[in-house]
Amino acid sequence: MSEASVAVHADADLLAQAVAARLVVKLLDAQADRGQASVVLTGGRIAAAVYRAVAALPAHDAVDWSRVDVWWGDERFLPAGDPERNETQARAALLDLLPLDPARIHPMPASDGPDGVDPEAAAARYAEELAAAARPGHATLPHFDVLLLGVGEDGHVASVFPEHRVHYESRPVSAVRGSPKPPPVRTTLTLPAINTAEEVWLVASGSDKAAAVHMALDGAGPVQLPAAGVAGVSRTLWLLDRAAAADVPPRFRSLR
Ligand SMILES: O=C1O[C@H](COP(=O)(O)O)[C@@H](O)[C@H](O)[C@H]1O
């Protein structure tokens, strides 16, 4: 598990551009090292801005997108194509514009998918898809080069919400019922699954995120503040705009 580090950018627009540039470089490095790359996407407003920024970045053409696996960290359990689905958002902002291999795009199941409106079955199906991509003889998850997370005002990451029973789920993918943020039914990677990623980047913008960022970096408990429980294997990087970074604890300020 890695120590957190913090990078701050002037505003949300520059933050999105910086994350986009980092992401392209990370995927290029992974392809140079491993011959392929994998990214775990998230949802939310700043994530959408990052996806648009990647699409606008000329250097994205340097990535061999046919050798990139795309996974999701969480999903709103709604019908395919619903504009509120994280998948729909990512496809519209970026994925539909890239020469990806459709077989390497791995959305979480929709509520009109093979399991119907059963999020527990959908979560189990996604866990099977992940396990099928894991290295033979290894864990139940594939290698994730980089996993992106937004951070909610309440400190949630993916669809792991404070005090929710998803914290006690032992499987890597969980159904979420009773989400405090709409829609109420979701599917999500759990924190232990998130923390298998080589690098985890927590991206937050706006003053309404400052308190959650502060508490997460200041030693809050993960059940109360899920973002506090995130740690990538080799890197845990908080990517913030100035407003979200307003209350970053002093020991991280030299890193800004
Ligand atoms: O509902 C969700 O919200 C969070 C944060 O979204 P934001 O708009 O406040 O940035 C997001 O990370 C998560 O994937 C999504 O399902």
Side-chain angles (χ1 to χ4, degrees):
M1 268 170 115
S2 55
E3 292 293 314
S5 58
V6 176
V8 181
H9 298 279
D11 56 33
D13 189 41
L14 282 172
L15 172 65
Q17 290 184 48
V19 179
R22 284 178 184 271
L23 184 58
V24 165
V25 171
K26 179 66 193 163
L27 297 175
L28 287 169
D29 282 347
Q31 288 188 334
D33 290 347
R34 301 197 300 116
Q36 55 186 314
S38 60
V39 59
V40 184
L41 300 181
T42 189
R45 291 157 289 177
I46 191 65
V50 169
Y51 303 151
R52 288 192 294 271
V54 173
L57 200 63
H60 82 236
D61 283 336
V63 176
D64 179 350
W65 293 100
S66 71
R67 291 185 294 122
V68 177
D69 279 291
V70 180
W71 301 91
W72 270 264
D74 78 309
E75 189 52 275
R76 295 125 181 228
F77 196 55
L78 296 165
D82 188 293
E84 291 297 312
R85 270 180 64 82
N86 293 338
E87 176 197 357
T88 310
Q89 172 194 38
R91 284 190 187 275
L94 179 62
L95 304 184
D96 289 349
L97 310 173
L98 299 175
L100 288 152
D101 176 353
R104 297 182 87 149
I105 304 175
H106 309 275
M108 288 185 167
S111 63
D112 58 353
D115 304 302
V117 289
D118 181 344
E120 285 78 18
R125 180 179 296 276
Y126 203 61
E128 278 171 24
E129 189 169 347
L130 287 159
R135 285 166 293 176
H138 281 73
T140 53
L141 292 167
H143 178 84
F144 299 139
D145 291 302
V146 57
L147 184 150
L148 301 175
L149 293 172
V151 180
E153 291 86 344
D154 59 357
H156 80 264
V157 288
S159 286
V160 180
F161 290 91
E163 311 281 358
H164 195 278
R165 68 181 186 190
V166 67
H167 287 278
Y168 307 103
E169 170 63 67
S170 58
R171 291 166 294 187
V173 189
S174 180
V176 176
R177 293 180 184 268
S179 159
K181 177 179 179 180
V185 184
R186 294 155 172 258
T187 50
T188 190
L189 298 188
T190 59
L191 288 182
I194 286 168
N195 290 344
T196 67
E198 180 187 325
E199 297 198 12
V200 180
W201 300 355
L202 299 108
V203 188
S205 73
S207 57
D208 52 350
K209 306 292 174 79
V213 170
H214 168 82
M215 288 187 279
L217 290 170
D218 202 36
V223 177
Q224 290 75 35
L225 211 292
V230 171
V233 172
S234 64
R235 193 175 206 194
T236 307
L237 181 57
W238 287 76
L239 294 154
L240 308 171
D241 68 4
R242 264 189 211 137
D247 289 325
V248 164
R251 71 179 182 283
F252 292 102
R253 293 203 180 132
S254 62
L255 303 168
R256 292 161 66 178

